[in-house]
Structure formats: C-alpha cells, structure tokens
Amino acid sequence: MTSGAPRAGRPRQVLSAVMAGAILGPIDGSIVNVLLPTLVDSFGASLASVQWVPMAYLLASGGLVLVFGRLGDLRGHREVFLGGLLAFIAASALCAAAPTIETLVVFRVLQGVASAAMTSVPLAILTATFPPAERGRAIGLFAASISVGLAVGPSLGGFLTEALGWRSVFLVNVPIGLAAWAYARRVLPEVPVRPGRLDLPGAAAALVALGSALLWVNLAQRPGPAPHGLLLLALLSGAAFLLRERRAAEPMVTLSLFRSAAVSFGATASVLSFMAQFVVVFLTPFLLVRVLGAGPGRVGLVLTAAPLAVLAVAPFAGALSDRIGSVRPAVAGALLSAAACALLAAMPPDAGPLDVAGRLALFGLGTGLFQSPNNSSVMGSAPREHLGVVGSLLGTARTLGMVLGIAAAGAVLYAFVPPSALGADVGAPSLAAELASGVRRAYAAGAAFALLSALLAAAPALARRAGRTGGPAIP
C-alpha cells in the first residue's frame, strides 16, 4: 500500500460499506416504476416516451456490468466501486434537475452506467476480504440488502413522490450516496493493480449482445410485431463475443471459468431463481388490487412479507453454508420457493390478502435460503484474479432473471387473459375471475422456474459424484 493510502477497515466495516453503496442501485432500478404516471403529467409526455425512463437504466446497467467486473480485476475493485458510486450521485442530481423527458432518459442512461460499476464488484470485494469460513454469512447479508433494495423501491418512490414530488426520488440519493462514498473510501482495502488491458472488442460485443437481448425481451411484450431484428442482433453479437473471447490474448471473460460446474450451473440457477421471484413481484400487485380489492396501503404491507423473510433468513443461510456446504441450503431454498409459487397458484377463490402474505413470506424464506449459499458457492469457485468478472456474472444473471421473469409473467397473462380483464377492477367479477385464473397460471410457471433452479443448484454435487470437477477453473 502506498504512503497516504487509506487504511483498510475490518471485514465488517468493509461489508457495511459495500452494502450502503450497492443498495442504491437496485433501489433505483425499481423505484421509478411508480413515477411513470406522474412523469406523464409533469412533462406532458406520452406513456411510450416515459417507459424509456426505467428501460434506459436497465439496459445500461445490465449491458455494462460485465465490462466493469473485468475492469475491477485489472484496475482495482475499490477504484471501480468508488468511481461508480460518485458517478451515480452526480447522475442522480442530473436526473432531479432534468428539464425534459428526453434529458431525463439520457441522465438515466448515465445513472445506469454508474450503477453497473458500483454493483459489479461488491461480491469480489467481499470474497477477497472474508475467509472461506465466514464468506457465506457476509454474502448472505449483502444478498439480503439487494433483495430489500429491490423490494422497497416502489413503496419508497410512492412515499417520496406524494410527500415531496418526483424529483426528490433522485435527490435523496445525493446525501445518502455521499455519506456512503466517504465511508467506503475510508474502509475499503487497496488492491494491487494487475498488469493487463481491457478487451475492447469483446466488451463492445458483450454490450451489444446483452443490450439488444434485454431490449428485445422488453419490446416483445408490447402490442405490434415483435422486433425479431433485435433478437438476431443479440444472437450474432453473442456469437461474435464467444469467438473473440476464445481467440483474445487477454479476454474480457475467460471461458475456461465455465468449466467449473459451480460457476456455470450456479449462475444459471440464479437466473431461474430471479425469474421465479419477478413473476411473483410483477403479478402479486395485480392480484391484490384487481381481484382481492386491496387498497394501496394494504398492498404495501402485504408485499413487505417477502423482503422481511429474506432479510431474516439470508444471513442464517450464509452462515449455514459455511458449516455444511452450499448445495443443501440452496436446493432447499429453491424448493421452498417452488412450493410457495405452487401454493399461490392453488389459492382458493375466497383467499384474502393475509393468505397471500403467508405465501409471500414462504417465498421470501426460500429466496433467502437459496441466494446466499448459491452466490457463495459461485464466488468461492472463482480464481482470485477473476473475482470481479465472476461477481459481475451474478449481477448479469440477476438482471436477466428480472427481465425474463416479468416477460414470462406478461406472456402468460396475454395468452390466457383477455385485454378487458387486464384493465378490469373489482366491480367486474367475471373479468376479475379471468384475471385471477391467468395469474395462477403464471404462478405455476414461476414454480417450474424455481424447480429448475433447484436442479441446477444440485448439479455441482452431482457432477463431482460423476467424476467431474466442481472446483476452481484454471484460467
């Protein structure tokens, strides 16, 4: 460490620092959804224009997380995290001052780029900081903060908008972010810089592939012809990325990492787990409001059941995986999530909000029990020099799962529910019943995703039994 460099904090201080900064990303990824009607009125814009406010953020953050993960491995995880957090604060202030809907979209792109930087490296920082015997608990606490951030975003956005106006949703990031940045700057450890350079052609191919895939999934849900050109672009760019990574002297993602069963199966299991989670997150408000007649206050209370359960169980799950290994807790968690989705799909017609809350709590327990051990298993199987890339793979898995889960839920609703029922209120019982039937079908799809996640979480252990290695890949 050079003279005058900040002193590294103790492991718990490092954990609290990355949690305080990284939670802003998922909060802002979900917080703006409740602002869309307000933004339509404030700017006199069309709904189609306003929908780019959340989409621009998601595309930028999801498309660049791998790039910043690799950059962290080369230039230092601390520098990438602090730079991303500072840029996020600046972009948030710009969003709050946006004079038009077009400039707000541009500033949301900048905010998404910053979010990609500050959310790509926390798992790498924690894996490098904590010994294996304590890593699962630390990652469990971090995973709980991310889940809570995703869950509280909409309710926090609604409260701030109603009390202080929509610009306060972005302004609140400034004092919180500055405090988190000052603390993180003091306690995060310095890491020696590795020689190497960023594979710019590979980074460009990855950005185009991920960005066009996410955009295709989003636009394919809307009325009109599906944008198949975007899908073709995503596939061609993905193929170009793989070809480049096989030939590059210093690839952005070392493909031999995927020879580790823990990395390849664990990342895929994470995608499916988040798909199940966002089927539930997307559909449950429709069920509560349109079918069960719950008001906004009760909807908010019911929806807190899942994140509270995640917060309660995730640290315990991480500590348990430190003792008995990651496979059994992760598989058990995914199976609990599948059971919760099945119970939601099988709810009787006379079920009430409390029945939904109980099932959401069970789903939250399963999610918390799965995420921490699964993430710990993936990160523990990564070579130290590739921690940033592997951590960013889990971030990419989260984004893909979110988008694909919402897309799957929407596809089921559009396939089985007439448009009149999607706009119906509780005053139209027959239409509400049709909506309830479609929602139950989508919950069943969520159960299937969670079951597949359980199978993949068990795959590394099955691979070891079959004589294949689930240990660290050799770059």
Side-chain angles (χ1 to χ4, degrees), residues 171-417:
L171 278 176
V172 74
N173 291 331
V174 176
I176 296 174
L178 285 173
W181 178 83
Y183 180 57
R185 185 173 182 271
R186 183 170 65 88
V187 304
L188 290 186
E190 294 275 10
V191 177
V193 176
R194 283 184 57 210
R197 59 183 180 179
L198 184 66
D199 175 23
L200 293 178
L207 174 60
V208 173
L210 285 170
S212 54
L214 293 173
L215 186 58
W216 174 76
V217 170
N218 189 289
L219 296 179
Q221 303 173 63
R222 302 183 183 186
H228 295 308
L230 281 173
L231 177 60
L232 179 61
L233 177 62
L235 294 174
L236 292 176
S237 301
F241 171 74
L242 293 175
L243 184 62
R244 169 67 187 180
E245 298 310 282
R246 290 185 62 183
R247 296 180 175 180
E250 296 184 53
M252 192 177 76
V253 179
T254 303
L255 297 183
S256 60
L257 288 169
F258 294 100
R259 294 174 188 168
S260 166
V263 172
S264 55
F265 288 122
T268 309
S270 185
V271 171
L272 288 161
S273 175
F274 275 100
M275 286 180 68
Q277 182 176 344
F278 274 79
V279 166
V280 174
V281 167
F282 178 70
L283 290 176
T284 303
F286 284 92
L287 178 72
L288 291 169
V289 175
R290 304 293 190 188
V291 178
L292 302 183
R298 179 169 288 188
V299 169
L301 288 174
V302 171
L303 293 179
T304 59
L308 285 177
V310 172
L311 185 61
V313 77
F316 163 77
L320 183 64
S321 71
D322 290 335
R323 295 181 181 179
I324 68 171
S326 62
V327 172
R328 282 177 286 177
V331 171
L335 291 175
L336 273 180
S337 297
C341 286
L343 289 172
L344 284 166
M347 276 193 304
D350 59 348
L354 287 179
D355 299 298
V356 177
R359 289 160 171 80
L360 290 180
L362 181 63
F363 186 86
L365 289 174
T367 299
L369 191 57
F370 167 82
Q371 286 181 354
S372 307
N374 185 70
N375 289 350
S376 181
S377 173
V378 172
M379 295 304 299
S381 299
R384 192 176 183 88
E385 64 270 23
H386 294 296
L387 288 176
V389 165
V390 175
S392 65
L393 282 173
L394 288 173
T396 303
R398 180 175 65 246
T399 301
L400 286 174
M402 291 165 56
V403 174
L404 293 175
I406 293 174
V412 172
L413 288 186
Y414 285 126
F416 293 101
V417 180

Side-chain angles (χ1 to χ4, degrees), residues 135-150:
R135 185 175 56 227
R137 180 177 177 84
I139 290 178
L141 286 166
F142 178 76
S145 71
I146 296 297
S147 295
V148 170
L150 290 169

Side-chain angles (χ1 to χ4, degrees), residues 17 34 37 50 60 68 72 79 89 101 127 130 137 211 234 270 300 322 338 371 391 407 423 471:
V34 299
V50 168
F68 283 111
E79 284 67 24
I89 296 166
I101 189 63
T127 302
F130 285 84
R137 180 177 177 84
S270 185
D322 290 335
Q371 286 181 354

